[in-house]
Amino acid sequence: MHPPPVPTVSMDSRDEAPEPDQSTKDAPSSRRDSMSQQSEGSQTAADFIRDQMQLEADAREALPYSFKNCTKPLGALRQNIYACLTCNPPPSNPDDLFTPAGICYSCSVQCHGEHELVEIFKKRNFTCDCGTTRFKPDQPCVLRIDPVTNTRGTVHSEQPDPNNKYTQNFQNRFCSCSIDYVPNEQMGTMFQCLGLGTHETGGCGEEWYHPGCLVGQGPKWYEKLQKQNSTGGALPPISEDPTQEIRNGEPIDDADPMQDGDADVPLPEDFPDEGDFDFFLCYKCVEAYPWIKRYAGTPGFLPAVFLQRSHEEVGDTKKRKLEDDNTDNADNETSKRIKADSNVEADNKLSDPVAPSSLVKEEDTKDGILPEAHECKLALLPPAPNGVFSIFLKADFRDHICHCPSCFPNLKTHPQLLEEEEDYEPSLSEASGDGSTHGSGSLYDRGESALKNVDRVRAIEGVMAYNNLKEKLKPFFQQFAESGKAIGAEDIKEYFAKLRGDEQAIRDAGEAAKEDHRREQSGY
């Protein structure tokens, strides 16, 4: 690191000053280098405490939930799942042998906190794999208690849940394009399919999709939009703003969302707005369970979003729309004739007497005495659109799905279509210690919590040693607090050398103290 700039000296003063020898010149330079490094690496006690409190507050914000308990004893849950790429690195060739594994939120923090993780978010019917044979024995679960030894932190090689389903997400690959997900390079929003099946049944297994891949435009659909909005071969317009940034010879438009990776990327054409739907079923799940196709465009469901819409399909759509308009006109004419005929019949009924028995039967029917047959809502829906498409669902779509005896068997295997799923979430972390060293409180609280698990005699001895050290350190810190000076590493080494009675260290510290670093530093 370079020393601070030397103050400017006039030519006259330099001529009058004697020329120092080489050793004299080198000594101040080394002291300046050392002091410069110390000033940048040192901080006051108040600064340290403030920074520590801010770090703990940031940690609680990033990890708001308690991570004391593994969810494996709870069994299969719909919960947030993580994949550890450090313990189970994916192969370069997707066809090579790979053992996927998923861990819960708590294990991602406590057991794999320093590893490279992939957040897969919600997965239904999944049991944590931490501490099972899907991991090596040297990577145990530190949260569960070993039933054999009754100790925590040694659980490994247990049998995993055979009902867990694994997708390419556990290899950090997402979407139908199987792209490697890199958060810093990802632009736009990805959407998770509600999922009607697994890969074994032809579904997607709750896959995440780029909106462009759902409409056949690929994961970088926004580049096509950018080209469409460009000026083509024309010269870029000259801005009167002299502060406008220039990149690659072209001015950057601050209003262009493509220039900022954090800005919202516009959705592709024919893709619904995010506020118009709450869930969606990808084209893979729709094709695997085609009975759901007839709900597209009906109450609770948005119109079909096609994967690849050809010109013929667009023409067929316009043709169907024209035919529908003609049908509506014919229906209107028919309804007009029926209305006219009903008026005639009403006039005839006013003139002709009505039998009392017929009145009784009509009243019985109106009161609902006769049993009403179960009506299938699906049979009354229009035919399903042609082509491969995804279906986007509104929040109340479950209210519009048919539950008749013939349709219910289709829903029974997909409970997410019958009622809203219950997601497991850990309890919020407490701000104070609760008897466990795995809590997310402050360092002081965790220290108190650790003392509760220490032997009583050793705890008392430790507290007495702490109080003794505190009394000795108090005057040392007091002098720096009153002067407002920063505590350097040499100051701490010197003081603790005196406490230990280390004669050699005291002599070394004394030699170093001959150079008054702080006085020399204050001159800059």
Side-chain angles (χ1 to χ4, degrees):
M1 181 176 293
H2 298 289
V6 180
T8 305
V9 183
S10 64
M11 291 297 296
D12 296 338
S13 61
R14 283 191 300 175
D15 293 338
E16 296 174 0
E19 182 70 16
D21 57 13
Q22 187 65 28
S23 60
T24 307
K25 290 190 295 181
D26 294 342
S29 176
S30 62
R31 288 199 297 269
R32 285 195 297 268
D33 291 341
S34 176
M35 202 56 234
S36 176
Q37 294 175 359
Q38 289 182 8
S39 62
E40 291 188 3
S42 61
Q43 59 180 166
T44 63
D47 292 337
F48 175 79
I49 294 175
R50 182 174 60 253
D51 293 343
Q52 183 65 31
M53 293 179 64
Q54 182 61 44
L55 287 174
E56 293 177 357
D58 294 342
R60 283 193 293 269
E61 183 178 356
L63 302 172
Y65 299 107
S66 174
F67 38 82
K68 297 184 299 181
N69 300 312
C70 174
T71 61
K72 188 177 187 297
L74 301 179
L77 301 169
R78 178 173 170 82
Q79 58 180 321
N80 282 334
I81 296 298
Y82 301 79
C84 182
L85 301 184
T86 303
C87 296
N88 299 71
S92 56
N93 185 3
D95 297 330
D96 292 345
L97 183 62
F98 174 67
T99 303
I103 56 178
C104 65
Y105 165 81
S106 298
C107 290
S108 71
V109 178
Q110 295 285 21
C111 308
H112 304 263
E114 298 180 357
H115 296 178
E116 182 181 359
L117 300 176
V118 177
E119 186 175 6
I120 306 177
F121 293 93
K122 300 293 183 183
K123 287 289 184 182
R124 67 172 59 97
N125 300 329
F126 199 95
T127 304
C128 180
D129 285 325
C130 191
T132 67
T133 54
R134 289 189 172 272
F135 290 96
K136 296 180 179 179
D138 59 355
Q139 183 57 51
C141 178
V142 301
L143 296 178
R144 298 202 301 275
I145 297 177
D146 192 334
V148 178
T149 61
N150 200 27
T151 57
R152 188 188 299 269
T154 60
V155 177
H156 64 86
S157 302
E158 291 186 348
Q159 290 300 317
D161 190 341
N163 296 319
N164 283 352
K165 302 298 182 182
Y166 304 93
T167 64
Q168 63 174 356
N169 298 163
F170 293 85
Q171 302 183 47
N172 195 32
R173 296 187 177 95
F174 292 85
C175 189
S176 57
C177 62
S178 298
I179 191 173
D180 288 339
Y181 183 77
V182 181
N184 297 333
E185 299 177 2
Q186 174 66 33
M187 295 185 66
T189 304
M190 297 184 72
F191 300 92
Q192 187 180 25
C193 176
L194 185 61
L196 287 186
T198 62
H199 291 285
E200 292 84 354
T201 60
C204 72
E206 299 176 279
E207 181 62 81
W208 289 86
Y209 288 90
H210 298 104
C213 291
L214 292 173
V215 294
Q217 297 182 17
K220 295 184 178 182
W221 74 95
Y222 46 84
E223 294 181 353
K224 298 179 181 179
L225 295 177
Q226 188 177 15
K227 292 179 180 179
Q228 293 176 0
N229 296 331
S230 63
T231 57
L235 294 176
I238 299 176
S239 173
E240 297 179 359
D241 185 6
T243 63
Q244 188 176 23
E245 186 179 355
I246 304 296
R247 183 183 299 168
N248 296 331
E250 296 182 0
I252 297 177
D253 186 4
D254 294 336
D256 188 358
M258 303 304 174
Q259 304 297 342
D260 187 1
D262 296 332
D264 292 335
V265 177
L267 294 171
E269 188 180 359
D270 296 334
F271 196 91
D273 294 332
E274 293 187 36
D276 294 342
F277 65 94
D278 290 80
F279 313 95
F280 96 95
L281 295 171
C282 71
Y283 58 89
K284 291 184 179 180
C285 293
V286 172
E287 289 295 316
Y289 301 91
W291 55 266
I292 197 73
K293 286 186 173 184
R294 296 189 65 176
Y295 287 101
T298 62
F301 300 81
L302 299 184
V305 176
F306 290 89
L307 175 64
Q308 191 70 38
R309 203 164 191 176
S310 62
H311 296 289
E312 295 179 358
E313 291 175 349
V314 175
D316 292 341
T317 304
K318 294 180 179 180
K319 183 179 180 181
R320 284 196 299 269
K321 184 177 180 181
L322 181 60
E323 292 176 351
D324 293 340
D325 293 340
N326 296 334
T327 304
D328 292 340
N329 294 333
D331 292 340
N332 292 334
E333 294 295 333
T334 305
S335 61
K336 290 178 182 178
R337 288 195 298 270
I338 293 175
K339 185 176 181 180
D341 295 340
S342 61
N343 292 335
V344 174
E345 291 179 358
D347 295 338
N348 295 334
K349 289 181 180 179
L350 291 175
S351 59
D352 296 339
V354 180
S357 59
S358 62
L359 290 176
V360 173
K361 291 179 180 179
E362 290 177 1
E363 290 297 329
D364 292 343
T365 304
K366 292 178 182 178
D367 294 339
I369 297 177
L370 296 178
E372 184 179 10
H374 290 284
E375 191 174 41
C376 180
K377 297 180 181 179
L378 186 63
L380 300 177
L381 297 179
N386 296 324
V388 180
F389 57 85
S390 302
I391 302 179
F392 290 78
L393 322 174
K394 298 182 180 179
D396 62 342
F397 78 94
R398 295 181 179 91
D399 299 334
H400 303 282
I401 291 182
C402 181
H403 292 70
C404 73
S406 60
C407 293
F408 190 78
N410 294 330
L411 304 176
K412 191 175 181 180
T413 56
H414 307 291
Q416 65 271 26
L417 299 180
L418 290 172
E419 58 184 2
E420 187 175 356
E421 295 178 284
E422 181 179 357
D423 296 338
Y424 171 81
E425 287 187 354
S427 59
L428 292 175
S429 61
E430 300 177 0
S432 60
D434 54 358
S436 170
T437 58
H438 296 294
S440 57
S442 65
L443 293 178
Y444 176 80
D445 296 330
R446 297 180 68 178
E448 278 192 337
S449 175
L451 282 176
K452 296 178 182 179
N453 300 324
V454 178
D455 178 73
R456 179 177 176 83
V457 176
R458 294 184 61 187
I460 294 175
E461 293 176 350
V463 171
M464 293 177 63
Y466 169 78
N467 290 331
N468 185 29
L469 180 62
K470 182 180 69 173
E471 293 299 326
K472 292 182 178 181
L473 289 176
K474 187 175 181 180
F476 172 70
F477 288 116
Q478 187 70 28
Q479 59 179 332
F480 290 96
E482 293 176 353
S483 62
K485 296 179 180 178
I487 303 176
E490 294 297 333
D491 299 319
I492 297 175
K493 291 179 180 179
E494 178 184 355
Y495 188 77
F496 275 92
K498 292 179 180 179
L499 290 180
R500 291 193 307 267
D502 189 347
E503 297 296 335
Q504 182 62 38
I506 293 176
R507 286 195 297 269
D508 295 342
E511 292 295 331
K514 291 180 180 179
E515 301 173 356
D516 191 356
H517 299 311
R518 285 183 293 276
R519 184 172 66 251
E520 185 174 276
Q521 184 185 18
S522 62
Y524 295 113

